Amino acid sequence: MPVQEIPEEESSIGIPDAAYEMIKEGIDELIAKLPERQREVITLCVLNDLSPAVVAQRLQIKEESVKRYIKAAANNLKKSINESSEEVTA
């Protein structure tokens, strides 16, 4: 198996662009499986780096609701990752 060269270009967080794109695609696939409101909150809070307070204002919901959506989404993402890793090892 030939050794792959790591590309010279890096993302803003220091990961080679090719690896960053693969990671991003995997994350996008997992997030796409979330229920709509969880997906929306995770996208705004995590991917767009907005605070729960700002997201609550934007979505016109309580900040506590935003925090609950984050927790539920985190649990769903963990479950999806565990299911995916079980499929790979099976």
Side-chain angles (χ1 to χ4, degrees):
M1 186 169 173
V3 176
Q4 285 187 311
E5 291 184 32
I6 297 177
E8 294 295 321
E9 301 85 26
E10 291 187 351
S11 70
S12 62
I13 58 174
I15 298 173
D17 283 344
Y20 177 78
E21 286 303 316
M22 286 176 28
I23 292 167
K24 186 177 179 311
E25 286 175 18
I27 292 170
D28 289 344
E29 287 176 21
L30 288 172
I31 291 174
K33 295 177 184 177
L34 292 173
E36 183 179 352
R37 188 60 96 168
Q38 289 178 22
R39 184 174 56 248
E40 192 173 19
V41 167
I42 286 296
T43 299
L44 292 170
C45 286
V46 178
L47 302 180
N48 293 336
D49 198 27
L50 298 176
S51 71
V54 170
V55 172
Q57 286 179 332
R58 186 175 286 190
L59 299 178
Q60 299 179 343
I61 59 176
K62 294 180 181 179
E63 185 175 349
E64 285 303 313
S65 295
V66 171
K67 292 177 181 178
R68 281 194 295 273
Y69 283 123
I70 292 170
K71 186 174 182 174
N75 288 334
N76 285 332
L77 291 169
K78 286 177 191 175
K79 188 167 36 169
S80 291
I81 290 168
N82 288 336
E83 290 170 358
S84 295
S85 66
E86 288 174 6
E87 290 175 7
V88 171
T89 59

